[in-house]
Amino acid sequence: MPITWSHSLDGMDWQELEALYRAAPLGNKNAADLETVFTNSRFCCLAREQNRLIGAGRALADGADWPTVFMQNAAV
């Protein structure tokens, strides 16, 4: 199935992101804290497959230069 990418947090299910962090494993982050850090980030990117959240990233920026993120494509 194709992966869809989005930069919008509109309608974000923060509980789903919390579960993704645990599955990754990136630790036990609670939904409220994830909402705070993602909404306060300058850039966010979400990946979905069949409306299921399969990836998320965020970047902070200083307003003078672009943050850079390098990712390697890997099977999920």
Side-chain angles (χ1 to χ4, degrees):
M1 291 294 161
I3 295 173
T4 59
W5 298 88
S6 170
H7 300 286
S8 173
L9 296 175
D10 294 341
M12 179 66 180
D13 180 344
W14 299 105
Q15 297 294 326
E16 185 179 25
L17 182 60
E18 178 182 307
L20 181 64
Y21 262 70
R22 280 194 311 274
L26 293 172
N28 293 319
K29 312 284 190 207
N30 70 57
D33 288 344
L34 289 170
E35 182 175 5
T36 298
V37 298
F38 270 78
T39 56
N40 287 329
S41 296
R42 189 167 187 113
F43 303 101
C44 296
C45 187
L46 305 171
R48 295 186 177 279
E49 186 174 48
Q50 296 183 359
N51 291 326
R52 185 175 65 96
L53 188 64
I54 61 167
R58 66 187 187 96
L60 304 174
D62 56 18
D65 197 3
W66 290 93
T68 305
V69 178
F70 295 94
M71 297 173 60
Q72 180 178 349
N73 188 11
V76 177

